[in-house]
């Protein structure tokens, strides 16, 4: 089974991800992980911390001469702003953060809770996802994450091939597919900063080149939609996940929701085996399994809960009403979240790929992939 854990605090010495069950024989290029780490640090609205950090992965195990060897892969991203031992506790919990509940649950400091609950930890989730992407590449599976709404402003995603969409996204300072909207959105972020406020948004992830049958209908905890929702909801500040048409499907009759099935013999060598759909409202998943169409996942991120103009709170020592504590933070991290969500989705897809095609080595997985495509074509 492909899985990972992380460790590390926001201002601790380092961040770690331990990826277990990664197949042997996968060429690994650390610079591809670093590209993702750099993008995660960017996006308009980030705070001072990103001028201190310059995230780069150090691969500590599991790779020999540029190729995975089937043993656990330890990924490390050191914190330049390592100062946790010198930091005071926070007396007044911030509404929306883990501060209040965490300090009561663990009978400890707010500092001890916020340092781990901080979204800084997502640096190594991105590293794990960017490693997993290197297993997807030999199967022609590609991912793209972008912002579709920020501070209430919708930026409709456009259709197009993934390379064109990627170019558009990489030209946008807020990582949307329409860079012409950047100026207005940036104005909104500036206004929020001025008002001591923060902004949230919605991001979408598209995964192309998927074969049939990743995930399963047969058991609830192996359904791929469920696993993706869990991985995405577990990203800091994510409050909602949609697949394909999502909540809108609940409002329409079935005839407007379900995607008709066509067959085109001339396309039978493609990953979808020639079964095409004129629409993709299901977002690439039916019965908890991939159906050969692109996977479409959307996530809603709430605004950052550290407000420069703080909300009402209580001093935990005196129990007196006081404003919540404030520490340096970001005004908007929606762009960063689009990178994070893309990478956690990539990891879940890789996990399902390993399950379907056996996970000891890339060579064996590829042979089994080809055999499955042939058998499914002939079914
Ligand atoms: C965060 C607070 C800020 C953010 C941080 C998440 O950090 P600091 O307190 O050091 O200014 O910048 O995110 C990151 C450091 C990061 O790399 O994404 C929080 O409280 O969640």
């Amino acid at each position: 089974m492909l899985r990972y854990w992380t460790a590390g605090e926001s201002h601790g010495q380092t961040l770690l991800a331990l990826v277990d069950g990664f197949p042997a024989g996968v060429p690994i290029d650390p610079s591809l992980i670093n590209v993702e780490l750099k993008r995660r640090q960017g996006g308009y609205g980030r705070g001072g911390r990103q001028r201190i950090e310059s995230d780069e992965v150090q691969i500590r195990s599991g790779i020999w001469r540029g190729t995975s060897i089937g043993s656990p892969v330890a990924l490390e991203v050191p914190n330049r702003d390592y100062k946790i031992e010198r930091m005071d506790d926070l007396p007044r919990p911030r509404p929306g953060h883990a501060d209040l509940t965490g300090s009561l649950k663990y009978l400890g400091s707010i500092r001890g809770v916020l340092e781990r609950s901080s979204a800084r930890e997502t640096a190594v989730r991105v590293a794990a996802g960017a490693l997993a992407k290197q297993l997807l590449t030999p199967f022609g599976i590609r991912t793209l994450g972008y912002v579709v709404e920020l501070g209430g402003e919708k930026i409709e995603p456009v259709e197009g091939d993934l390379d064109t969409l990627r170019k558009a996204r990489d030209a946008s300072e807020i990582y949307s597919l329409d860079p012409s909207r950047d100026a207005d959105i940036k104005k909104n972020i500036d206004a929020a900063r001025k008002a001591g406020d923060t902004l949230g948004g919605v991001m979408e992830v598209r995964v192309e080149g998927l074969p049939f049958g990743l995930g399963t209908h047969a058991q609830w905890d192996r359904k791929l939609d469920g696993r993706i929702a869990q991985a995405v909801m577990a990203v800091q500040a994510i409050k909602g996940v949609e697949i394909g048409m999502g909540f809108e499907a609940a409002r329409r009759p079935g005839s407007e929701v379900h995607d008709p099935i066509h067959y085109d013999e001339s396309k039978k060598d493609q990953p979808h085996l020639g079964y095409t759909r004129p629409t993709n409202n299901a977002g690439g998943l039916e019965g908890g399994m991939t159906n050969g169409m692109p996977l479409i996942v959307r996530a809603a991120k709430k605004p950052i809960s550290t407000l420069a103009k703080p909300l009402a709170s209580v001093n935990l020592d005196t129990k007196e009403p006081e404003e919540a504590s404030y520490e340096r933070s970001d005004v908007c991290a929606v762009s960063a979240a689009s990178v994070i969500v893309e990478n956690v989705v990539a990891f879940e897809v890789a996990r399902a790929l390993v399950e379907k095609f056996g996970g000891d080595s890339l060579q064996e997985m590829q042979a089994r992939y080809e055999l499955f495509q042939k058998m499914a074509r002939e079914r």
Side-chain angles (χ1 to χ4, degrees), residues 53-377:
E53 302 297 340
S54 178
D55 293 342
E56 281 199 5
V57 73
Q58 294 172 11
I59 301 182
R60 297 295 191 191
S61 72
I63 311 292
W64 185 62
R65 295 182 177 169
T67 303
S68 61
I69 52 175
S71 43
V73 182
L75 304 169
E76 179 169 13
V77 177
N79 284 319
R80 286 195 180 171
D81 202 17
Y82 167 37
K83 60 182 182 189
I84 191 168
E85 298 302 340
R86 288 178 277 118
M87 295 178 95
D88 294 330
D89 195 13
L90 240 60
R92 303 172 309 270
R94 295 159 296 174
H97 227 287
D99 299 355
L100 174 62
T101 304
S103 67
L104 295 175
K105 175 177 166 68
Y106 291 94
L107 306 177
S109 62
I110 289 180
R111 173 67 58 199
V113 171
L114 82 88
E115 286 289 329
R116 178 66 185 154
S117 63
S118 159
R120 173 81 190 136
E121 179 256 354
T122 59
V124 280
R125 284 201 231 184
V126 167
L131 178 83
K133 276 188 191 176
Q134 299 187 42
L135 171 61
L136 301 181
T137 302
F139 294 90
I141 299 171
R142 302 191 304 156
T143 64
L144 186 73
Y146 41 87
V147 172
V148 294
E149 191 173 326
L150 202 157
E153 291 286 324
K154 282 199 166 64
I155 314 146
E156 292 299 336
V158 289
E159 284 300 317
D161 71 273
L162 222 58
D163 291 328
T164 312
L165 299 183
R166 194 183 302 280
K167 260 191 207 139
R169 185 209 56 194
D170 290 346
S172 162
E173 274 186 78
I174 60 148
Y175 303 177
S176 87
L177 298 180
D178 185 357
S180 74
R181 300 285 304 283
D182 281 11
D184 284 345
I185 306 269
K186 281 164 65 182
K187 254 187 231 155
N188 294 344
I189 296 173
D190 289 339
R193 187 194 305 278
K194 225 169 153 192
D197 219 330
T198 56
L199 294 180
V202 180
M203 60 283 323
E204 186 169 284
V205 176
R206 196 179 170 89
V207 184
E208 291 191 356
L210 290 163
F212 276 92
L214 305 189
T216 175
H217 67 294
Q219 194 58 267
W220 68 270
D221 63 345
R222 290 190 287 138
K223 287 179 178 247
L224 189 57
D225 39 12
R227 282 191 174 177
I228 285 172
Q230 204 258 328
V232 173
M233 283 291 273
V235 172
Q236 287 83 341
I238 298 297
K239 302 311 286 179
V241 181
E242 289 184 318
I243 291 181
M245 197 181 242
F247 272 54
E248 181 60 22
R251 303 179 191 114
R252 299 204 192 179
S255 56
E256 288 179 24
V257 170
H258 302 297
D259 309 303
I261 303 171
H262 299 167
Y263 182 70
D264 182 346
E265 167 94 26
S266 71
K267 293 185 176 157
K268 72 178 192 332
D269 292 328
Q270 294 188 20
H272 57 56
L273 307 174
Y275 295 96
T276 61
R277 308 290 184 98
T279 53
N280 185 24
N281 296 330
L285 285 165
E286 288 168 317
M289 297 172 278
T290 53
N291 67 0
M293 292 295 285
L295 175 64
I296 309 287
V297 182
R298 266 186 308 282
K301 181 185 181 300
K302 70 180 181 181
I304 283 164
S305 45
T306 307
L307 300 183
K309 195 171 164 200
L311 295 172
S313 184
V314 170
N315 186 312
L316 289 194
D317 299 328
T318 64
K319 310 285 191 286
E320 290 297 321
E322 280 180 36
E323 283 185 345
S325 299
Y326 175 72
E327 282 195 341
R328 176 193 64 192
S329 190
D330 306 318
V331 175
C332 177
V334 174
S335 310
S338 72
V339 183
I340 299 159
V341 171
E342 176 183 337
N343 279 284
V344 302
V345 168
F347 196 93
E348 289 310 310
V349 170
R351 185 145 91 110
L353 193 77
V354 161
E355 276 174 9
K356 175 82 180 105
F357 298 111
D360 288 336
S361 70
L362 174 62
Q363 295 91 319
E364 185 187 356
M365 284 179 72
Q366 284 178 312
R368 289 172 64 163
Y369 175 95
E370 291 306 331
L371 178 65
F372 170 71
Q373 294 296 89
K374 180 171 174 290
M375 292 172 87
R377 225 176 270 128

